[in-house]
Structure formats: C-alpha cells, structure tokens
Amino acid sequence: MGTVTETRDETFAFYRCHVCGLPHEHVDGVKRQCSFGSDTDSAELSDAGPPGRRVLGERYRVERTVGEGAAGIVYECTDLRLDRLVAVKLGPPLEASVPQHQRFLREARTMAEVSDPGTIVVYDFGVLSDTGQAFIAMELLHGETLWERMTRPMPLSVVRDIVAEILLVLGAFHARGVVHRDIKPDNVFLSDANPGEITVKILDFGLARHADERDKVSAGNEVLGTPVYMAPEQVWGGGEIDRRTDLFAVGSVLFEMLTGQEPLEVRAAEPLLTFLRRAGTQPRRSLASLRPDLPEELAGVVATAMSLDPKDRFPDARVFLRAFIDALGGDESLTDSSSWRIS
C-alpha cells in the first residue's frame, strides 16, 4: 500500500497522499491508505529486520529506514566491503508482482544511463538470494525533498534555480530518449552534501522508459504516474508519451511552487476516477488568476508547459528553460549545466 505525507493545509479532516497526490479522509482518526499505483502489500516490501542485525546480500548492513513509497523501501546501510554508508532500496519479490519486480530492475539500469550531477549514483543492483527481492544500492543523499522545501516560503530566485536544474537534468535523460513519467515534488531532492551548495537530484525512475518503447511491464490498463501532475495523454494511456509529458509535469510543479496550490483544483473526497476524468480534459488554472503580481510572460510559460495538447507545449527541456529564464529577465548562465549550481 502507499505511504502518506501530511498536507500543508492545516486541517485534520484530510491528508495528502504520497502516492496519488490527492486528499484522503481520516476515517475514525485513521488515515485511509491509497492503493493507486501499487499492487503490492507493504508487508511484501518491508521487514529488513532490526537495525544492525540484518545484512542484505551479505554486504549491506541495515542501519535505519530513510524512506518508503509505493514501489519500495529505502534503508541507510553500511557497505561492509567499502566501509561507507549507502542507500539501499528494496523492492518486491518476483512472485509478489512480476510487473513491479521488472520495473524495479529497469529503474536501476535507467538511473545508470546518464552521468550528471543531478542523477543518483548507482553502485550495485540485483536480487537477494534469500528473499527474492530486487535491490538497488546507491549514493546516500542528505537534504530534503522539494515537497518539504515547499512548506516554507520560496523566493522567486530559488524557484527559478530549482526549476532550471530540473529541466537541465531532464534534458540529459531526454537526449537519451528516456521519459521519467513521474515528476513531482516528492521526486525532486535538494541535496546539501556540499557546504553552501544545493544540488537538485531527480528521484525514482521506476516508471521511466524510452520514448520509443511500449511499456511491457505494466499490468493491463494500469495508470502509471501521480494524477495531480499527469498530462492528459498519460491519464488516458492512449496517447504518445514523450519528453513533452515530463514537461507538462514540470509546469505543474512550477505552478504549485509559485502558488501553493495544484494547477487542477483538488476536491476533498473526490473519487480518483472522477479526478482522472477531469485531469484528462479540463484546462489547468491560470497562474495570473492566483499570482497577478508575477510577470505576464511567466504566466504564459506556465500555460504553455501545461497545454492539454502536447503539440502546444515546449518541444524540449532546453526551449522550456530558455523561455522560463527570459520570462524572469534573462540569465545566460542558467542555460549551461556546467556553469552553475544553487548556492
């Protein structure tokens, strides 16, 4: 089942789900968990044993749990061979869910395809012989997710720098034909490993695929992604999924960073299928309607990114970035991925 993250709205009636991005009710004081996007019971993903007691793959000693999502649990582990701390993500065993198991292994290969400061370094991956669970060993990050950062005021300059880095990293993957398909604030990490510097990292490539391949590890009519940020073609599943699908999600994230609200109104207790129908056909809200103080050009950039028809969106991440920076007054250095990092 999916895990949950508290909504920024100060209310006790609903919480915002980590998996689908929609508000769910508290039922008799208990959070109703969301099964969207996950067909594996949490018990099949967890139980790595007491910290310091279990060793995964005869190499990674579990120290503590650092994160949990619909497709796996992430542990901080000590690499006993190299004597260093790493993150190990455990997925489902093959017999629990063949599609999720295959998708998990594909995630590791995809993450290793691009070498960029904005990607996570993969050290090792495979299947544990004792449990049959897939695992990925990767660099251990320190910092916070964009979702966590969005709980505090964000100057426009910070919004600019974070979104610019997201687009630069996505551009590197798009150049290799890889589409992420699940860009959202929870999957953007602000790493503070270097003193005085924040590096944006893109997380969770479990749904990523090459734009020219059919998803052979999806189950039936399964909808893959996070509904709040999904483009119409991703909602319906019948359209072409390419780099413009990711750019729609970036536009949605940018809208939320600037307004504190989702681009498509989220109604409490609305059934997921009802929301999906609206997400597939209803134009997103105008940035100018909520932030008339921002430049008109910026509102136009956001609207273009979130166009319902992919043909009306930016063709690639670099064109999006150029228009975005121009709308904020221009800064040539921000289009060169080797020349800057957030300070």
Side-chain angles (χ1 to χ4, degrees), residues 204-220:
D204 198 348
F205 281 81
L207 299 184
R209 73 174 192 189
H210 284 81
D212 59 355
E213 73 174 322
R214 294 179 59 85
D215 198 332
K216 300 177 182 179
V217 297
S218 298

Side-chain angles (χ1 to χ4, degrees), residues 171-242:
F173 277 95
H174 291 168
R176 299 292 295 269
V178 175
V179 183
H180 187 281
R181 296 200 295 174
D182 198 20
I183 295 297
K184 58 183 178 180
D186 292 286
N187 284 342
V188 176
F189 195 86
L190 309 180
S191 173
D192 58 5
N194 299 321
E197 182 178 283
I198 297 296
T199 300
V200 174
K201 301 271 189 178
I202 302 296
L203 309 180
D204 198 348
F205 281 81
L207 299 184
R209 73 174 192 189
H210 284 81
D212 59 355
E213 73 174 322
R214 294 179 59 85
D215 198 332
K216 300 177 182 179
V217 297
S218 298
N221 294 321
E222 182 182 10
V223 178
L224 302 176
T226 303
V228 168
Y229 308 100
M230 285 165 59
E233 67 271 17
Q234 193 173 3
V235 171
W236 297 121
E240 181 181 358
I241 305 297
D242 59 23

Side-chain angles (χ1 to χ4, degrees), residues 231-233 235-236 264 275-282 284 308:
E233 67 271 17
V235 171
W236 297 121
L264 183 62
F275 180 84
L276 287 173
R277 281 193 288 268
R278 289 201 295 119
T281 59
Q282 186 173 323
R284 299 322 189 241
L308 296 186

Side-chain angles (χ1 to χ4, degrees), residues 16-187:
R16 176 159 175 173
C17 178
H18 175 82
V19 178
C20 71
L22 301 176
H24 294 323
E25 292 180 279
H26 285 273
V27 180
D28 295 328
V30 177
K31 295 174 180 178
R32 178 175 63 82
Q33 299 230 18
C34 176
S35 61
F36 176 79
S38 175
D39 54 6
T40 304
D41 189 89
S42 59
E44 295 167 334
L45 295 173
S46 58
D47 192 19
R53 295 278 298 277
R54 183 178 177 189
V55 176
L56 306 174
E58 301 182 347
R59 177 172 180 175
Y60 304 106
R61 186 180 66 217
V62 176
E63 305 296 348
R64 66 186 182 96
T65 302
V66 295
E68 182 175 353
I73 298 178
V74 181
Y75 299 98
E76 178 182 310
C77 297
T78 297
D79 183 335
L80 299 177
R81 294 182 189 173
L82 298 177
D83 191 26
R84 65 178 176 182
L85 290 176
V86 300
V88 175
K89 183 176 180 180
L90 279 187
L94 179 61
E95 63 270 17
S97 171
V98 173
Q100 277 201 349
H101 183 86
Q102 294 177 342
R103 195 181 299 144
F104 192 93
L105 294 177
R106 186 177 68 179
E107 175 180 5
R109 298 187 183 96
T110 302
M111 290 168 61
E113 261 193 65
V114 175
S115 178
D116 184 274
T119 62
I120 300 176
V121 179
V122 174
Y123 300 134
D124 188 16
F125 81 101
V127 178
L128 299 179
S129 59
D130 56 345
T131 66
Q133 287 177 280
F135 76 91
I136 304 173
M138 50 195 166
E139 66 173 309
L140 181 65
L141 299 179
H142 298 279
E144 63 183 347
T145 65
L146 176 57
W147 173 252
E148 292 168 324
R149 178 63 184 86
M150 286 164 60
T151 63
R152 308 190 302 277
M154 299 184 69
L156 190 55
S157 60
V158 173
V159 173
R160 176 202 64 183
D161 292 353
I162 291 174
V163 172
E165 283 225 31
I166 292 172
L167 289 169
L168 288 170
V169 178
L170 280 179
F173 277 95
H174 291 168
R176 299 292 295 269
V178 175
V179 183
H180 187 281
R181 296 200 295 174
D182 198 20
I183 295 297
K184 58 183 178 180
D186 292 286
N187 284 342

Side-chain angles (χ1 to χ4, degrees), residues 239-260:
E240 181 181 358
I241 305 297
D242 59 23
R243 63 184 68 183
R244 295 170 298 180
T245 305
D246 281 346
L247 300 185
F248 182 98
V250 175
S252 300
V253 171
L254 174 57
F255 183 97
E256 190 171 4
M257 292 172 73
L258 293 170
T259 67

